[in-house]
């Protein structure tokens, strides 16, 4: 089935003169890496095709991968193939025009929330979309030219989405595909030098945010980042969003999260876990994602209380049944 969908996608790429790539809003290394690699590989392989990345935002974290090129005009969508990468949720797509193309391909590794796209290749056990399209390019290596620059985009997406090959979804296949990228000359020291460093001000802000850390009885760690805190510390959305990383290594805490206030007073939750599958809980709060990395939206103080309690109950049950994990 998946072998077949890969052939379908190859033929669609060959068939169209203009290809519009989209990803999720607030892009991460996988979203940018997969869209930029797809653009670079198609351009290198089929120089006559026009390839655009339609986007509303970019991210400083992986800006070192280089320019993403001009945005498409609305007219460019006419008769174009649209490929959405790294999301299966229409409202998270980085373009208002993605339905204006002729056909829509979706390539994603999140747990499926509904049917989306004319052709959809979704495998939620995969480490990253970059891993999926690395496989795709190598499966058809006679058709595609994979440049070193494209390989660096793919490698960046794989290492960022897998937490440097640590998270669930990292498989023998992941490492084999990463090895093939290294054979193309990927400079991984340079990549890590960009993705593992922080601005001085962010290091200071991390320590300030830790002072807001709370723990539930069973050890769920969380930080509520209100608009007040954001403005007191001059935090960017990106810094607030990444602050799950500063509480990820607490012994006995298998679930950790940050809750970031939106301008309208609702909260965006970013939940991470070891071993415990938290995605079903996220789904109950207008969210979803992966088994151990998900997002949710919390709309009131009552809902916040219930949400934290649900996570605490799940955490405490899991620890009771799996004492070997901490
Ligand atoms: Mn991803």
């Amino acid at each position: 089935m998946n072998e077949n969908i890969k052939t379908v996608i190859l033929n669609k790429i060959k068939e169209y003169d203009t290809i519009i790539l989209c990803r999720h809003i607030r892009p991460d290394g996988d979203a940018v890496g997969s869209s930029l690699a797809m653009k670079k590989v198609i351009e290198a392989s089929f120089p006559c095709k026009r390839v655009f990345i339609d986007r509303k935002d970019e991210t400083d974290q992986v800006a070192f991968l280089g320019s993403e090129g001009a945005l498409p005009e609305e007219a460019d969508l006419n008769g174009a193939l649209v490929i959405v990468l790294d999301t299966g949720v229409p409202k998270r797509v980085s373009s208002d025009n993605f339905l204006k193309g002729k056909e829509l391909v979706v390539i994603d590794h999140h747990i499926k929330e509904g049917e989306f796209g004319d052709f959809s290749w979704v495998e939620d056990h995969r480490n990253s979309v970059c891993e999926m399209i690395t496989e795709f390019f190598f499966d058809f290596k006679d058709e595609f030219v994979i440049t070193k620059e494209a390989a660096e985009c793919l490698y960046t997406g794989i290492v960022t989405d897998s937490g440097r090959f640590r998270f669930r979804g990292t498989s023998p296949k992941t490492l084999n595909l990463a090895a093939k990228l290294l054979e193309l000359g990927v400079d991984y020291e340079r990549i890590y030098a960009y993705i593992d460093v922080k601005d001085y001000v962010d290091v200071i802000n991390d320590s300030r945010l830790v002072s807001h850390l709370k723990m539930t009885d069973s050890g769920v760690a969380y930080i509520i980042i209100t608009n007040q805190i954001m403005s007191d510390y001059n935090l960017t959305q990106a810094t607030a969003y990444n602050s799950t990383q500063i509480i990820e290594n607490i012994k006995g805490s298998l679930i950790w999260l940050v809750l970031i206030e939106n301008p309208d007073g609702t909260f965006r939750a970013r939940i991470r876990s070891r071993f415990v599958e938290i995605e079903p809980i996220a789904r109950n709060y207008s969210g979803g994602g992966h088994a151990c990395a998900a997002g949710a939206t919390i709309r009131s103080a009552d809902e916040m209380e219930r949400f934290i309690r649900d996570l605490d109950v799940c955490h405490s049950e899991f620890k009771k049944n799996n004492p070997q994990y901490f």
Side-chain angles (χ1 to χ4, degrees):
M1 155 87 182
N2 284 332
E3 295 314 307
N4 190 24
I5 184 73
K6 282 189 269 185
T7 307
V8 170
I9 294 171
L10 169 68
N11 288 331
K12 288 293 159 193
I13 289 172
K14 288 165 87 172
E15 179 184 330
Y16 282 84
D17 296 330
T18 303
I19 297 165
I20 310 284
L21 306 170
C22 305
R23 66 232 186 169
H24 57 79
I25 49 171
R26 291 192 293 265
D28 54 12
D30 191 28
V32 173
S34 59
S35 40
L36 195 49
M38 186 68 94
K39 175 176 161 69
K40 287 175 187 290
V41 169
I42 296 173
E43 285 174 344
S45 315
F46 306 101
C48 293
K49 293 188 192 293
R50 301 162 69 231
V51 188
F52 297 96
I53 300 177
D54 199 1
R55 59 199 186 272
K56 294 176 178 173
D57 47 8
E58 297 178 355
T59 171
D60 289 344
Q61 192 206 7
V62 294
F64 70 93
L65 291 174
S67 164
E68 300 199 78
L71 290 170
E73 306 282 333
E74 220 179 298
D76 293 319
L77 270 292
N78 282 336
L81 176 69
V82 177
I83 305 180
V84 170
L85 298 153
D86 203 24
T87 182
V89 182
K91 68 173 193 297
R92 295 199 71 215
V93 175
S94 64
S95 160
D96 293 327
N97 298 321
F98 72 95
L99 292 174
K100 294 182 181 157
K102 189 165 172 208
E103 287 188 298
L104 180 64
V105 169
V106 174
I107 306 176
D108 189 29
H109 72 128
H110 293 86
I111 295 169
K112 210 168 178 170
E113 292 189 23
E115 289 312 315
F116 181 35
D118 301 307
F119 309 97
S120 133
W121 176 25
V122 178
E123 292 190 44
D124 63 34
H125 63 281
R126 301 294 289 255
N127 148 302
S128 56
V129 166
C130 278
E131 178 198 289
M132 294 169 72
I133 65 172
T134 300
E135 179 183 86
F136 172 70
F137 293 144
F138 278 105
D139 279 1
F140 301 109
K141 59 178 187 303
D142 295 338
E143 309 271 359
F144 290 119
V145 178
I146 312 170
T147 61
K148 179 187 168 204
E149 289 70 31
E152 293 197 326
C153 294
L154 294 165
Y155 197 84
T156 299
I158 292 172
V159 298
T160 52
D161 251 31
S162 69
R164 324 292 182 260
F165 303 108
R166 287 183 300 136
F167 299 156
R168 192 175 292 188
T170 302
S171 66
K173 195 180 264 181
T174 313
L175 296 173
N176 275 316
L177 290 165
K180 289 185 178 187
L181 295 173
L182 289 186
E183 282 168 0
L184 295 176
V186 165
D187 184 352
Y188 56 84
E189 280 187 283
R190 173 175 168 268
I191 292 174
Y192 287 127
Y194 280 104
I195 61 179
D196 283 341
V197 297
K198 283 181 174 181
D199 287 334
Y200 171 77
V201 63
D202 290 331
V203 175
I204 300 299
N205 278 329
D206 283 355
S207 67
R208 290 167 161 169
L209 283 174
V210 168
S211 71
H212 296 272
L213 171 64
K214 292 186 176 140
M215 301 283 274
T216 66
D217 291 343
S218 77
V220 174
Y222 65 102
I223 301 176
I224 298 175
I225 305 175
T226 58
N227 284 325
Q228 188 62 52
I229 292 175
M230 300 258 306
S231 94
D232 286 352
Y233 300 165
N234 223 347
L235 290 186
T236 62
Q237 282 283 334
T239 309
Y241 192 69
N242 284 327
S243 54
T244 46
Q245 288 165 13
I246 62 182
I247 54 172
E248 70 182 6
N249 292 322
I250 304 172
K251 193 170 182 179
S253 180
L254 306 180
I255 301 177
W256 60 99
L257 65 151
V258 290
L259 295 127
I260 303 158
E261 191 171 9
N262 293 313
D264 67 359
T266 61
F267 282 82
R268 183 156 58 94
R270 191 177 197 224
I271 320 152
R272 297 290 179 266
S273 63
R274 279 183 283 278
F275 311 113
V276 197
E277 298 195 354
I278 42 77
E279 197 270 349
I281 297 177
R283 198 171 274 249
N284 287 340
Y285 292 87
S286 317
H290 307 286
C292 296
T297 301
I298 307 300
R299 296 195 164 79
S300 68
D302 277 1
E303 203 174 50
M304 177 86 81
E305 204 173 297
R306 257 188 297 126
F307 175 59
I308 301 286
R309 197 168 52 229
D310 286 355
L311 289 170
D312 185 53
V313 168
C314 168
H315 189 241
S316 135
E317 288 291 310
F318 185 89
K319 287 171 78 167
K320 211 180 300 166
N321 298 327
N322 301 276
Q324 72 275 25
Y325 282 146
F326 60 95

